[in-house]
Amino acid sequence: MSTQKPILQMTKIHKRFPGVKALSDVNLRLFPGEVHALMGENGAGKSTLIKVLTGVYSIDEGRVEMEGMPITLHSPLESQAAGISTVYQEVNLCPNLTVAENIFIGREPRRFGRILWKEMNRRAAELLSERMNLQIDVTRPLHTYSVAVQQLVAIARALNISAKVLILDEPTSSLDQKEVEQLFRIMRKLKQDGLSILFVTHFLDQMYEISDRVTILRGGEFVGEYMAEELTRLELVMKMIGKELHLLEELPSLAEADQHTLGGEWIRAEGLGRKGGIEPFDLAIRQGEVVGLAGLLGSGRTETARLFFGADKPDSGRLTLPESAGTVRSPREAIRRRIAFCSENRKTEGIIGDLTVRENIILVLQAKYGAFKAISRKRQEEIAGEYIRMLNINPPNPDHLIKNLSGGNQQKVLLARWLLTEPQLLILDEPTRGIDIGAKAEIQKLVLSLSRQGMSFLFISSELEEVLRVSDRIAVLRDRRKVKEVTGKDMSQQHIMQSIAGG
Amino acid sequence: MGRLVKHHLFWPLCVLAALLLFNLCYSPDFFTITMHDGHLYGSLIDILNFGSPLILVAIGMTLVVATKGIDLSVGSIVAISGAVACLSISKGPDQNSLVLILISVLLAVGLSLVLGLWNGLLVSVAGIQPIIATLILMVAGRGIAQLVTGGQIITVTSAKYAYIGSGSLATLPFSIFVVILVLLIALLTRRTALGLFIESVGCNPTASLMAGVRAKWVILSVYIFCGLCAGIAGLLLSSNVSSADGNNAGLWYELDAILAVVIGGTSLNGGRYYLTGTVIGALIIQTLTTTIYMIGVPPEITLVVKAFVVLAVCLIQSDSFRAAFAARWKTRHYPAEKEITRHVS
């Protein structure tokens, strides 16, 4: 492989934004027929590098060569013409068009200017079944399929454009294990066909499973390029975070977690359910208790959380708060009853992008107060400053627009927003998704320490280890049904895995 | 300097200054203000006076646009409000009775509030897209106004009513004080948390709902306020000419108002809004209209001239246009450089 010439070579790439050095002196080489992982913490510059490759941003300095020829990437079209195709983390296809239309949009098979619909549908179905092992009705609108299928359709579309380099930006973050395996089979096949794949991921396991080579970035700088098999996990993590990995080990173990005493039952769901979301279930949460929800993607975890917050109306059962003899019918009511919900969809259900960090932090508290009891500017600044310090929000400027922060820092702002309302129950849906290891450990620590002070949690994560680490009790969901509750010594990875798998 | 250019009022103020400067060069007595019988007269005063209905409508529109909405019905509400007030006054026994005028004004304002409520209900409760929801009243409202006036122009002979739109207080036109009052009310959104809620709903309605913001109430209130502004504008307009014309009063106001909002820096995508920007935007439009009349552009091409100036204003404000223009400027300076790199590669 060393004798081979790279198909794509980026040398000494620099990219600056006002006040920020997003990339400085970054190199990247992609060889034909390899899967190349791009790894780094939040703010490492992965997204920026990809946007440079796809022509969204133009570089300030540096060279990009494709098969030895210098190329310029000033627009997404130029990038596509050079043979670079991208599938983004958030699938950006047209949900209202059919699967086939999405694959062929702009390149529909035509005769005399007329689109050959039958031909197009046949070819789309063929493409999906042959290259993706996916047998679906290609004439149905894309939005009727799950995110996983949409992702595969997006890849099929990218492949249909004659691509030499395929960029997959965190393709696995919303896929379950089976879907990941399916994706990897497809990636291996594409690799054999000589395609060069740039694979961006947060999952170490997946990186090792599929990648040949890995490039690591940190804080916008190039750390190094390594052969995946020659790099140990510890080395990898240390290079990514640039320090010794002791943060996670500092967490109290489960034995210690058992020691703290729980309060009385605070909220109780009885036969609560919603069609197409989650089958009726019972679940009670005590004061100071951390209840974890384990299960695969689409097992009904988020749906359960939304019912607890009143974001969806249940078809059956009821939610009661024994102490106040109340219930929860809407997010507003939930907030009034001191329930908080950090949604997994940060962008669509969490942040208000055009507002500042300060405004985002005080929003819920202000909504609780109502429009006419405005929190004074001075008080707002105090609050924002306090939480920025407490949660280590970076950059520590309350007047930054939140949309310009990295994912992990946006997540911290949302946490601050909810903590400010002093909730009794904090529902965290994938609070650590897409954020770096350091921030992850900080959030886990926070959950543990707050629960010791009597706050209850409903903790959802697709990382089982994480759920195990923080939870006092775990409810296991499978196929939109609550199948089991485990506590104490039953809370082992194997046991829960079996429950999830249905063994 | 960089921060100055970045400020949202920089380009609108530049455009306004340029317009005024043009006027100064063209007619040196443009800035002359004279005093007659305790009233100030001059082109600048005229701009403020004649521009006040547009400023009012645009202020209301700003809040609606901030919620990612739009209100096309303001022109019709202007007509209805004026028509109702004038009809009520003309039917009275003594047109100069203060009670009658107060009742008529309250009637018109009340009706505009109801019309605003109607728009708000269609958008927030019925969930109809704002452009369609308000289109209904835009079309139907003209009909209502014509119905009220009976298809005629209603004239009133009431000095007290005429005072609202053409009287003066402390040497300045009374309408300016009305505008200031409404602007202060609108600025209350900044003193209360309503402004934050309006921006958050406009920017991300789902997230706002999850944060416990009463999105429906917020949307309802901005449409009601917009209706109120249009209603007051209708009073100013009809009082200024002491008559109500159901067909033509407030015609195309919605478009001028939207333009003023956008020139003022508020995006049609919702979110951040700038009330002072809107006022400057409306003043730009009014100054432009006055300028066109003053320099004697033939009537048949005034709209074309206006269109070109508006186009220029919008282009100046567009970031990507300025960037493209700057890039062109650079390449024009070093035409050979591009050639060289092409040959080397």
Side-chain angles (χ1 to χ4, degrees):
Chain A
M1 191 167 260
S2 55
T3 55
Q4 234 177 341
K5 277 230 166 114
I7 186 160
L8 180 90
Q9 182 152 20
M10 302 175 86
T11 339
K12 298 194 187 287
I13 303 293
H14 288 260
K15 175 72 194 170
R16 273 175 292 272
F17 291 114
V20 194
K21 258 192 176 176
L23 292 176
S24 65
D25 222 359
V26 169
N27 302 322
L28 180 72
R29 300 189 300 164
L30 295 180
F31 291 87
E34 74 163 4
V35 174
H36 190 121
L38 181 62
M39 300 197 77
E41 287 198 300
N42 278 327
K46 291 172 304 192
S47 312
T48 313
L49 187 62
I50 287 169
K51 286 194 174 144
V52 163
L53 259 177
T54 51
V56 177
Y57 297 152
S58 43
I59 52 177
D60 297 331
E61 278 173 53
R63 277 158 67 85
V64 184
E65 287 171 28
M66 190 88 180
E67 293 171 318
M69 301 288 283
I71 53 168
T72 53
L73 301 169
H74 289 314
S75 73
L77 271 178
E78 276 186 56
S79 162
Q80 265 188 23
I84 301 170
S85 283
T86 317
V87 176
Y88 288 101
Q89 189 174 2
E90 280 104 18
V91 180
N92 49 357
L93 297 176
C94 310
N96 294 328
L97 298 186
T98 69
V99 171
E101 282 168 333
N102 267 296
I103 294 177
F104 283 98
I105 197 165
R107 289 165 288 111
E108 302 89 347
R110 292 163 196 247
R111 193 160 64 198
F112 310 125
R114 199 177 62 87
I115 295 176
L116 303 168
W117 292 101
K118 274 192 184 159
E119 166 83 1
M120 187 172 90
N121 291 337
R122 190 184 55 75
R123 272 167 54 187
E126 215 175 75
L127 185 74
L128 285 175
S129 74
E130 277 179 13
R131 298 197 77 167
M132 303 279 152
N133 284 332
L134 198 65
Q135 261 100 23
I136 56 172
D137 181 359
V138 294
T139 61
R140 287 182 59 188
L142 186 71
H143 69 83
T144 54
Y145 293 103
S146 70
V147 179
V149 171
Q150 293 185 22
Q151 189 108 51
L152 293 178
V153 171
I155 294 174
R157 173 180 163 72
L159 292 177
N160 195 36
I161 304 168
S162 61
K164 295 170 195 156
V165 173
L166 178 65
I167 302 171
L168 299 177
D169 186 5
E170 292 194 41
T172 56
S173 59
S174 48
L175 303 189
D176 66 30
Q177 196 50 44
K178 248 179 81 183
E179 291 164 335
V180 170
E181 277 162 25
Q182 190 184 0
L183 177 68
F184 282 1
R185 268 202 304 281
I186 290 156
M187 282 169 70
R188 289 199 186 92
K189 192 160 171 255
L190 297 174
K191 191 171 106 171
Q192 275 165 12
D193 297 346
L195 194 72
S196 171
I197 300 176
L198 184 66
F199 177 52
V200 184
T201 186
H202 277 293
F203 300 103
L204 306 190
D205 286 337
Q206 292 179 359
M207 191 288 277
Y208 278 109
E209 192 181 336
I210 191 86
S211 309
D212 303 300
R213 202 184 288 262
V214 51
T215 289
I216 300 173
L217 302 181
R218 185 173 69 230
E221 285 174 15
F222 179 72
V223 176
E225 184 200 271
Y226 311 90
M227 297 305 289
E229 54 196 16
E230 290 163 13
L231 189 70
T232 68
R233 272 163 188 268
L234 195 62
E235 280 172 340
L236 172 65
V237 172
M238 273 162 49
K239 286 185 197 308
M240 274 165 63
I241 66 175
K243 57 184 170 191
E244 296 292 325
L245 181 68
H246 54 75
L247 282 158
L248 283 178
E249 280 128 40
E250 266 179 20
L251 285 170
S253 70
L254 287 168
E256 278 168 340
D258 279 346
Q259 284 173 0
H260 86 291
T261 48
L262 302 176
E265 190 176 295
W266 193 75
I267 190 165
R268 160 180 286 276
E270 283 168 297
L272 198 66
R274 181 181 158 89
K275 281 207 182 64
I278 178 95
E279 302 274 307
F281 65 93
D282 297 334
L283 185 65
I285 303 173
R286 297 165 66 183
Q287 281 185 7
E289 187 177 33
V290 182
V291 174
L293 286 186
L296 298 174
L297 188 92
S299 61
R301 298 175 315 202
T302 299
E303 289 79 357
T304 306
R306 288 178 67 91
L307 285 178
F308 267 93
F309 190 61
D312 289 330
K313 301 262 173 296
D315 299 327
S316 65
R318 61 205 174 116
L319 191 65
T320 47
L321 289 87
E323 260 179 33
S324 54
T327 183
V328 172
R329 279 175 300 243
S330 68
R332 261 191 84 77
E333 201 172 5
I335 292 166
R336 210 171 54 236
R337 299 206 181 280
R338 300 177 62 206
I339 300 174
F341 176 43
C342 263
S343 166
E344 67 172 331
N345 300 314
R346 267 197 299 264
K347 273 206 187 115
T348 56
E349 295 178 353
I351 65 166
I352 313 283
D354 284 336
L355 298 188
T356 61
V357 169
R358 169 177 54 79
E359 288 166 318
N360 268 284
I361 289 178
I362 62 137
L363 185 63
V364 176
L365 189 67
Q366 184 65 73
K368 215 173 163 181
Y369 285 171
F372 300 106
K373 232 180 106 190
I375 302 170
S376 73
R377 179 68 187 245
K378 191 166 157 261
R379 182 82 194 102
Q380 290 185 18
E381 268 155 19
E382 279 169 21
I383 292 170
E386 190 183 317
Y387 279 93
I388 284 171
R389 265 194 309 281
M390 183 175 120
L391 297 175
N392 236 331
I393 294 169
N394 194 25
N397 178 357
D399 291 322
H400 241 74
L401 294 189
I402 192 171
K403 64 179 175 194
N404 296 337
L405 266 58
S406 70
N409 283 304
Q410 288 179 355
Q411 183 67 47
K412 287 181 190 170
V413 171
L414 293 179
L415 261 178
R417 172 194 283 183
W418 288 113
L419 290 179
L420 183 59
T421 65
E422 295 176 349
Q424 173 56 46
L425 172 64
L426 178 51
I427 304 168
L428 296 174
D429 192 357
E430 297 279 10
T432 62
R433 173 197 280 178
I435 73 175
D436 60 70
I437 294 174
K440 224 176 223 183
E442 279 172 37
I443 287 175
Q444 292 170 5
K445 261 188 198 163
L446 196 71
V447 169
L448 286 175
S449 78
L450 288 172
S451 68
R452 298 310 177 268
Q453 292 162 30
M455 199 187 284
S456 313
F457 285 87
L458 189 62
F459 190 95
I460 302 174
S461 171
S462 36
E463 284 179 51
L464 192 52
E465 285 174 25
E466 186 175 68
V467 179
L468 277 167
R469 191 172 293 132
V470 298
S471 304
D472 298 306
R473 186 153 54 96
I474 294 176
V476 181
L477 303 178
R478 186 204 319 145
D479 295 338
R480 305 193 177 281
R481 244 205 320 272
K482 186 181 151 203
V483 291
K484 204 166 202 175
E485 255 182 49
V486 290
T487 45
K489 60 180 187 304
D490 285 343
M491 293 204 335
S492 68
Q493 285 218 47
Q494 274 175 329
H495 185 89
I496 291 170
M497 243 6 155
Q498 277 166 359
S499 309
I500 289 174
Chain B
M1 184 62 192
R3 277 187 60 179
L4 189 71
V5 174
K6 280 248 169 70
H7 194 274
H8 65 270
L9 289 181
F10 179 79
W11 290 109
L13 281 174
C14 277
V15 172
L16 188 58
L19 272 175
L20 293 175
L21 201 67
F22 173 82
N23 275 306
L24 183 65
C25 300
Y26 195 83
S27 62
D29 58 347
F30 184 79
F31 284 89
T32 318
I33 292 175
T34 53
M35 183 82 122
H36 281 298
D37 315 327
H39 297 199
L40 290 175
Y41 289 96
S43 303
L44 288 182
I45 303 291
D46 282 349
I47 288 174
L48 287 177
N49 191 16
F50 294 133
S52 41
L54 178 62
I55 298 176
L56 284 181
V57 172
I59 286 172
M61 185 72 81
T62 308
L63 298 187
V64 170
V65 167
T67 63
K68 211 175 190 168
I70 201 158
D71 189 346
L72 295 182
S73 70
V74 285
S76 295
I77 297 180
V78 164
I80 294 173
S81 157
V84 166
C86 285
L87 182 73
S88 161
I89 293 169
S90 69
K91 288 278 192 280
D94 172 16
Q95 296 205 359
N96 266 322
S97 143
L98 194 62
V99 179
L100 175 69
I101 292 184
L102 272 179
I103 289 175
S104 307
V105 166
L106 284 179
L107 201 65
V109 168
L111 188 60
S112 337
L113 285 173
V114 171
L115 294 175
L117 176 70
W118 163 262
N119 281 331
L121 286 175
L122 285 185
V123 174
S124 77
V125 179
I128 303 174
Q129 285 178 342
I131 195 164
I132 299 300
T134 57
L135 188 63
I136 296 170
L137 192 57
M138 175 187 176
V139 177
R142 271 294 147 204
I144 295 172
Q146 285 165 9
L147 213 60
V148 172
T149 59
Q152 310 284 316
I153 295 178
I154 302 179
T155 46
V156 292
T157 47
S158 163
K160 290 209 171 81
Y161 184 62
Y163 180 79
I164 301 174
S166 50
S168 51
L169 182 70
T171 73
L172 285 170
F174 181 70
S175 55
I176 293 178
F177 295 95
V178 176
V179 168
I180 290 173
L181 181 72
V182 172
L183 182 63
L184 286 179
I185 295 175
L187 283 171
L188 273 183
T189 54
R190 294 297 186 195
R191 303 292 298 180
T192 63
L194 201 58
L196 175 69
F197 295 161
I198 289 172
E199 288 181 340
S200 90
V201 167
C203 180
N204 188 344
T206 318
S208 304
L209 219 57
M210 298 293 267
V213 176
R214 290 178 196 246
K216 281 188 178 161
W217 286 101
V218 170
I219 290 173
L220 203 59
S221 59
V222 295
Y223 281 93
I224 293 175
F225 181 71
C226 188
L228 173 71
C229 288
I232 299 175
L235 289 175
L236 289 185
L237 212 58
S238 72
S239 137
N240 190 267
V241 292
S242 280
S243 67
D245 178 354
N247 292 317
N248 295 313
L251 199 62
W252 310 131
Y253 255 52
E254 57 281 344
L255 302 183
D256 274 350
I258 293 166
L259 199 58
V261 170
V262 172
I263 290 175
T266 305
S267 158
L268 285 176
N269 286 327
R272 288 280 184 215
Y273 65 89
Y274 306 100
L275 288 165
T276 39
T278 296
V279 173
I280 292 167
L283 285 176
I284 289 174
I285 294 174
Q286 188 59 42
T287 311
L288 183 58
T289 313
T290 310
T291 309
I292 289 173
Y293 284 131
M294 265 196 18
I295 61 177
V297 173
E300 63 271 20
I301 61 163
T302 49
L303 285 178
V304 178
V305 172
K306 197 173 168 185
F308 274 111
V309 178
V310 167
L311 177 67
V313 171
C314 294
L315 286 178
I316 288 173
Q317 291 213 49
S318 152
D319 287 335
S320 46
F321 177 79
R322 282 208 306 273
F325 195 75
R328 250 191 91 74
W329 189 252
K330 267 183 202 160
T331 53
R332 213 180 285 162
H333 273 256
Y334 314 104
E337 200 169 76
K338 231 183 177 180
E339 295 294 312
I340 293 166
T341 42
R342 199 175 294 154
H343 288 305
V344 168
S345 63

